[in-house]
Amino acid sequence: MKKIISVVGARPNYMKVAPIHRAFQNYSDKVQHLICHTGQHYDANMSDIFFRELELPQPDFYLGVGSGTHAEQTAKIMIEFEKVLMKERPDLVIVVGDVNSTIACSLVAVKLGINVAHVEAGLRSFDRTMPEEINRLLTDQIADYLFVTEKSGIENLKNEGIADEKIFFVGNTMIDSLVYYLPKIEKSTILHELNLKSKEYIVVTLHRPSNVDDPENLVKIFDEFKKIAEKYKIVFPIHPRTRRTLQSSKIDYEHSNILLIEPVGYISFINLVKNSLIVLTDSGGIQEETTYLKIPCLTLRKNTERPITAEVGTNKLIGTEYHRIAEECFDTINNPPKNSQIPPLWDGRAAERITAKVVELLN
Ligand code: UD1
Ligand code: UDP
């Protein structure tokens, strides 16, 4: 029996690991699949709700590291995860995405001689001011198996000198969760609860430090939101990082058509996206989900590590010239993207491919 530990830490990790956990159940005679939650995210609406909705079991290991500076958080995760690995000695550690938990756990594992698989490898924004870009670059350099979601990832890894035999193009486990839960998502009552009507509102999420840490940016962003709110309702589930800036500054964000709510669970959130006119975001994962759902997405960033979403999908990068937000938004609502496509292998079966390959590699 092979022992595998998958790591989750922050909100975007749960929907990537859930389908992998489910797919490993088909190999229960060969693989014991365990889950370690670092506790990078810990609020109930940033953690527990996703375990429930995505039918993940309680984590086998909970490191409880919480928030801190990058060094504090990364170091705490490393210290606690090393204890788990020294005791458990798994055959493989699986990390996903690009958060601090991803690099911290990869580093600990490889130094103990334990193989690492990185799911969502090879994505690059080419912007090293993003903490995630550093996490991605370093994780891919030390991981043994690299599972890639889109073709840019293969090219990036090859350009960085990663051997072909380590790279596997498997598709997108985040889309696996979306496909699997669509029937449940359709039944969500969130529109009714928020008094919203399908295709009459806009969804916003923002949490990148470059957009939300400086209150001056948020002032400019909310000025634009108020212009939009003269015509359309905006629903904005606020990430804790963004809430922190809003609460500590005197930004005037009140408007009767801007609905500021706490972060919502996955099922409600995707239902909100699916019924929206357009999404405005700086999230990584949401660029992919809107592409799959063919909902127009404006990304408030200068770059994306997920270029396929802009090449074939519904995503448009609008940069950080905040004064253009309302105009871009109205333009896109009036001329929504046509003929967008779903990227190759975003078919709901990435986790099946990953687990089959992992079982083959471990045997
Ligand atoms: C992290 C990831 C980012 C990812 C995002 C997803 C890193 C470097 N960043 O950013 O890549 O896109 O998660 O949401 O790993 N906080 C709470 N409650 C929580 C969690 C956080 O209040 O449950 C607050 C704390 O004040 C904390 C701040 O949010 O200091 C930031 O949390 P942190 O995990 O450091 O980074 P995120 O901005 O959430
Ligand atoms: N999400 C959610 N509730 C919210 C906002 C986002 O369930 O209130 C989901 C979203 O559908 C996606 C994931 O969280 O699956 C993305 O996480 P986030 O934007 O925090 O991180 P990123 O992808 O930018 O790293």
Side-chain angles (χ1 to χ4, degrees):
M1 184 72 109
K2 300 289 181 186
K3 189 189 281 187
I4 300 178
I5 300 183
S6 286
V7 175
V8 296
R11 180 166 67 187
N13 298 158
Y14 317 122
M15 43 297 270
K16 296 170 194 170
V17 167
I20 294 175
H21 182 72
R22 202 167 42 247
F24 270 130
Q25 305 316 304
N26 295 327
Y27 300 97
S28 55
D29 54 331
K30 294 195 180 80
V31 170
Q32 181 189 19
H33 183 246
L34 303 172
I35 294 175
C36 177
H37 189 334
T38 65
Q40 175 173 347
H41 284 175
Y42 43 86
D43 288 348
N45 58 16
M46 298 295 284
S47 179
D48 294 5
I49 189 168
F50 296 94
F51 273 76
R52 277 200 309 280
E53 291 191 344
L54 299 167
E55 298 164 282
L56 278 163
Q58 283 302 303
D60 300 279
F61 314 98
Y62 185 73
L63 308 184
V65 298
S67 305
T69 65
H70 282 275
E72 281 167 352
Q73 189 174 61
T74 310
K76 274 193 208 160
I77 298 169
M78 289 181 69
I79 290 167
E80 295 306 317
F81 193 55
E82 187 177 54
K83 294 178 196 162
V84 172
L85 291 192
M86 299 222 305
K87 184 157 176 283
E88 297 293 327
R89 285 275 158 196
D91 298 283
L92 180 74
V93 167
I94 300 181
V95 295
V96 299
D98 55 16
V99 300
N100 284 347
S101 303
T102 312
I103 177 61
C105 293
S106 304
L107 200 47
V108 172
V110 294
K111 291 225 172 167
L112 288 173
I114 297 167
N115 282 346
V116 170
H118 184 205
V119 172
E120 203 184 273
L123 297 183
R124 296 290 179 268
S125 65
F126 301 101
D127 174 1
R128 291 197 182 188
T129 65
M130 288 180 75
E132 296 82 2
E133 183 75 354
I134 306 299
N135 295 342
R136 291 188 280 257
L137 277 161
L138 299 184
T139 303
D140 287 342
Q141 277 300 318
I142 58 178
D144 299 277
Y145 311 122
L146 298 135
F147 292 107
V148 177
T149 53
E150 62 166 84
K151 64 180 189 326
S152 73
I154 307 173
E155 287 155 25
N156 295 332
L157 293 173
K158 287 186 177 181
N159 289 340
E160 288 167 22
I162 307 281
D164 284 1
E165 58 267 25
K166 289 176 153 187
I167 305 172
F168 306 98
F169 181 35
V170 289
N172 193 328
T173 59
M174 189 160 226
I175 301 304
D176 290 5
S177 278
L178 186 44
V179 170
Y180 186 81
Y181 284 107
L182 263 183
K184 203 164 151 191
I185 289 162
E186 304 278 8
K187 292 194 190 114
S188 161
T189 54
I190 188 75
L191 258 61
H192 179 69
E193 289 161 38
L194 296 177
N195 197 18
L196 293 168
K197 290 205 176 69
S198 184
K199 302 295 166 192
E200 290 189 2
Y201 64 91
I202 294 164
V203 173
V204 171
T205 84
L206 293 174
H207 70 276
R208 293 282 154 225
S210 56
N211 281 329
V212 306
D213 281 3
D214 181 349
E216 282 186 21
N217 290 344
L218 281 182
V219 169
K220 291 179 199 155
I221 290 170
F222 270 93
D223 279 348
E224 293 293 300
F225 287 173
K226 285 179 194 162
K227 289 185 204 163
I228 298 171
E230 294 303 313
K231 282 183 93 168
Y232 302 103
K233 277 193 181 172
I234 295 179
V235 57
F236 186 176
I238 301 194
H239 189 282
R241 173 183 284 278
T242 313
R243 185 178 58 218
R244 201 174 57 185
T245 311
L246 282 180
Q247 282 173 348
S248 62
S249 56
K250 295 201 184 77
I251 299 168
D252 177 17
Y253 50 76
E254 302 278 334
H255 189 290
S256 57
N257 258 352
I258 304 179
L259 205 55
L260 298 179
I261 58 174
E262 288 295 308
V264 292
Y266 179 72
I267 301 295
S268 301
F269 185 75
I270 302 291
N271 185 284
L272 281 173
V273 168
K274 195 165 181 294
N275 286 293
S276 69
L277 270 170
I278 182 171
V279 174
L280 217 117
T281 192
D282 58 13
S283 160
I286 296 168
Q287 295 173 56
E288 298 182 339
E289 291 163 337
T290 47
T291 285
Y292 186 85
L293 294 168
K294 299 189 182 265
I295 298 293
C297 176
L298 296 181
T299 297
L300 214 53
R301 286 176 47 186
K302 292 181 192 143
N303 48 56
T304 179
E305 61 289 328
R306 294 159 159 90
I308 195 91
T309 59
E311 280 163 29
V312 308
T314 50
N315 188 21
K316 180 177 179 192
L317 295 180
I318 61 167
T320 52
E321 289 161 42
Y322 301 121
H323 63 274
R324 287 176 44 209
I325 293 174
E327 188 187 322
E328 287 283 357
C329 196
F330 293 134
D331 273 1
T332 307
I333 289 172
N334 293 332
N335 301 294
K338 290 191 185 77
N339 308 321
S340 74
Q341 287 160 34
I342 293 172
L345 298 189
W346 291 19
D347 58 359
R349 304 187 62 184
E352 280 173 41
R353 291 188 275 269
I354 291 169
T355 50
K357 182 50 78 179
V358 163
V359 169
E360 181 193 316
L361 289 165
L362 291 187
N363 290 291

